[in-house]
Amino acid sequence: MTEAVTDLVGRHLRERLGAEPQRASVTFLGVEPIDVLRFVLDDSGPGELVYVTSGCARHPMTDPTDLHADPVRGPRAELVVRMRAGSPLPGLHKRLATLAAAPAVEGLILDADALVDLGEPLWDGATCTAVLLTSDDLGEVELPDPMDPVRLLRAVPITANEAAWVRLKGADALRDAWREAGIDVTEPNRASATPG
């Protein structure tokens, strides 16, 4: 049953993105491996890299202290990172897999507008140390009843200052600041939004 979930997610991604991914597998002690799929899309101008986790959605996200958690029903999610092609992003797949393992390890529930702080660079040399989650254009992956669909959540890399701003003013305030400043959040070396 659990492998069927990752198979359905993989098929959905290949159909929606029209490409075959490269795959990296990351293992954590006591947790099933998390794969990170890397799609290279070069038909959108300068090109786009799309990283998607595979394995977070094997099981519903629940409180790990709940001894009677439903093993079938409950929210499921995978994470999507979209970056402009052209810059190497060493270590991103490992940090992304760490985020995707957080529901199983820490009982974290991944949902839109959630702020997830890694406390370390999202890739080697990055100024971004956290992600802000939002719904992704890839939508949801329907699963057989009675399982909930898998939500594909975009994980937008943000800086420590931006993370502090989200805690203070909320996710929409940061998105408004990006729009006003013309910040491209897919640019790996972008400037940080400054609170107004």
Side-chain angles (χ1 to χ4, degrees):
M1 176 77 88
T2 59
E3 285 316 304
V5 171
T6 56
D7 291 345
L8 289 168
V9 168
R11 187 177 318 132
H12 176 86
L13 294 171
R14 288 191 299 274
E15 288 173 359
R16 291 293 304 272
L17 295 171
E20 283 295 322
Q22 297 169 313
R23 178 183 302 266
S25 187
V26 182
T27 56
F28 301 93
L29 191 63
V31 180
E32 292 166 275
I34 301 285
D35 287 349
V36 177
L37 310 179
R38 180 178 179 268
F39 294 86
V40 180
L41 309 180
D42 52 16
D43 57 353
S44 55
E48 182 183 27
L49 298 176
V50 181
Y51 293 80
V52 189
T53 62
S54 176
C56 179
R58 281 190 189 102
H59 308 286
M61 293 179 282
T62 57
D63 181 341
T65 62
D66 183 356
L67 300 177
H68 304 289
D70 191 321
V72 177
R73 292 186 182 89
R76 296 172 191 256
E78 296 290 357
L79 298 175
V80 180
V81 171
R82 295 174 177 270
M83 300 302 288
R84 186 184 298 269
S87 295
L89 304 169
L92 175 58
H93 68 286
K94 291 179 185 171
R95 276 44 165 264
L96 196 51
T98 300
L99 293 172
V105 174
E106 301 170 20
L108 184 69
I109 305 292
L110 302 173
D111 202 359
D113 288 345
L115 169 68
V116 187
D117 200 332
L118 253 107
E120 65 174 324
L122 203 52
W123 58 89
D124 299 350
T127 57
C128 296
T129 57
V131 294
L132 180 61
L133 303 184
T134 186
S135 295
D136 191 83
D137 294 341
L138 290 168
E140 294 183 338
V141 181
E142 292 298 325
L143 300 180
D145 282 336
M147 292 189 284
D148 292 18
V150 177
R151 294 186 65 197
L152 295 165
L153 295 171
R154 182 170 177 189
V156 179
I158 64 174
T159 66
N161 284 346
E162 290 172 334
W165 199 5
V166 169
R167 290 185 189 97
L168 189 66
K169 295 193 171 186
D172 286 339
L174 178 59
R175 292 185 188 112
D176 289 344
W178 285 334
R179 270 192 297 276
E180 287 171 20
I183 290 175
D184 178 1
V185 294
T186 68
E187 176 56 59
N189 302 311
R190 70 175 177 84
S192 176
T194 50

